[in-house]
Amino acid sequence: MSIHTLTPGAFTPERIEQIARLGQQDPVVRGYRSFHSLQEGRIVWLLDAPSKDAVVSWCRKVGLPLDGVTELELEGHVGVIRPARMGIPNQLQATVEHVQSDGVVGLATLRLLSGDTLCALIDSDECESLGIVPGAEVLALCKATSISLARDNEEETPMKLSFPNQIRGKVVNMITSSTLVIIYIDTPAGQVVSAMIPSAAEQIELKVGDEVTALFKALDVSLAKS
């Protein structure tokens, strides 16, 4: 959440609409709701972003004065409190190692900071426009709802899974509501966040401290220039 103080009347509705469109086109910061009092010069903007610094940089780029940025954990609606909505909380730094394209779809192989390999399927046009070439530094983006979890158990025979992207880590926090569980996982590649319905977490008896493997498809990975 970002808070902005403007000179009363300095911004027109057309200017705000222009900034809102930029917030939908940016590869890193994505706006999804905002509240405005142009007469009093106050704006509150709700954004999906990998960090506070990314929001500060975006506000500077679009010419929006900024008072401060706050990371949200909970949101309320008509008396109901639940975990705050998340767009793309998983944004992992990676280096492009190889790109293969059939002219329509590109398959990018990435190397994470942990040394793990990651695969992403993206449009060939995006490969060119974003400069996705070997050696490029990128952010691998994946929604929390696209992350499945397998709970590691040394006593069981390891399962063979078709997910090309598998990152091991440890559950460090869980935020639970009646409809959603958000799981925070520390991994050598960085923090990974998964979101699932409570019955799914109960089925694998998930708890803080568990060793898990985060699983996700190549189709669920988007790329942005780092």
Side-chain angles (χ1 to χ4, degrees):
M1 177 181 72
S2 60
I3 299 175
H4 313 267
T5 299
L6 317 172
T7 301
F11 276 46
T12 64
E14 291 76 18
R15 173 62 176 140
I16 294 299
E17 184 177 353
Q18 180 187 37
I19 294 174
R21 285 198 300 268
L22 292 173
Q24 295 301 308
Q25 298 167 0
D26 194 89
V28 177
V29 174
R30 181 65 57 89
Y32 80 87
R33 199 167 187 188
S34 57
F35 305 89
H36 311 266
S37 175
L38 301 184
Q39 186 175 0
E40 296 186 9
R42 299 285 286 178
I43 295 176
V44 175
W45 219 298
L46 303 183
L47 303 148
D48 290 320
S51 66
K52 293 182 179 180
D53 287 342
V55 175
V56 172
S57 178
W58 178 79
C59 290
R60 186 182 301 116
K61 181 169 63 175
V62 300
L64 188 62
L66 178 65
D67 295 346
V69 182
T70 300
E71 184 175 350
L72 300 179
E73 296 177 351
L74 301 172
E75 66 179 2
H77 180 65
V78 292
V80 178
I81 302 298
R82 63 187 181 188
R85 296 179 189 178
M86 296 181 299
I88 310 179
N90 297 305
Q91 306 203 14
L92 303 175
Q93 292 184 349
T95 302
V96 178
E97 288 202 331
H98 179 70
V99 179
Q100 182 178 349
S101 175
D102 62 5
V104 178
V105 178
L107 173 60
T109 302
L110 318 173
R111 184 70 62 182
L112 299 176
L113 296 178
S114 60
D116 293 311
T117 298
L118 206 65
C119 294
L121 281 173
I122 58 176
D123 291 341
S124 293
D125 290 343
E126 291 185 8
C127 287
E128 295 181 7
S129 62
L130 292 175
I132 306 300
V133 295
E137 299 294 325
V138 298
L139 290 175
L141 318 176
C142 186
K143 294 182 178 180
T145 50
S146 298
I147 303 285
S148 299
L149 297 180
R151 184 163 166 261
D152 295 349
N153 191 332
E154 295 180 357
E155 298 177 0
E156 298 178 357
T157 302
M159 294 183 294
K160 293 183 178 180
L161 302 169
S162 62
F163 290 92
N165 299 318
Q166 304 186 22
I167 302 176
R168 297 191 64 178
K170 183 177 182 179
V171 177
V172 294
N173 191 21
M174 296 174 63
I175 299 176
T176 303
S177 74
S178 60
T179 58
L180 191 67
V181 180
I182 299 176
I183 303 102
Y184 295 85
I185 304 149
D186 270 355
T187 83
Q191 181 176 265
V192 171
V193 182
S194 173
M196 63 183 67
I197 60 175
S199 60
E202 293 169 2
Q203 186 175 5
I204 60 174
E205 300 178 343
L206 195 63
K207 62 185 183 298
V208 173
D210 282 345
E211 299 288 337
V212 297
T213 301
L215 312 167
F216 48 107
K217 301 174 183 177
L219 278 170
D220 292 327
V221 179
S222 300
L223 299 181
K225 289 303 289 290
S226 178

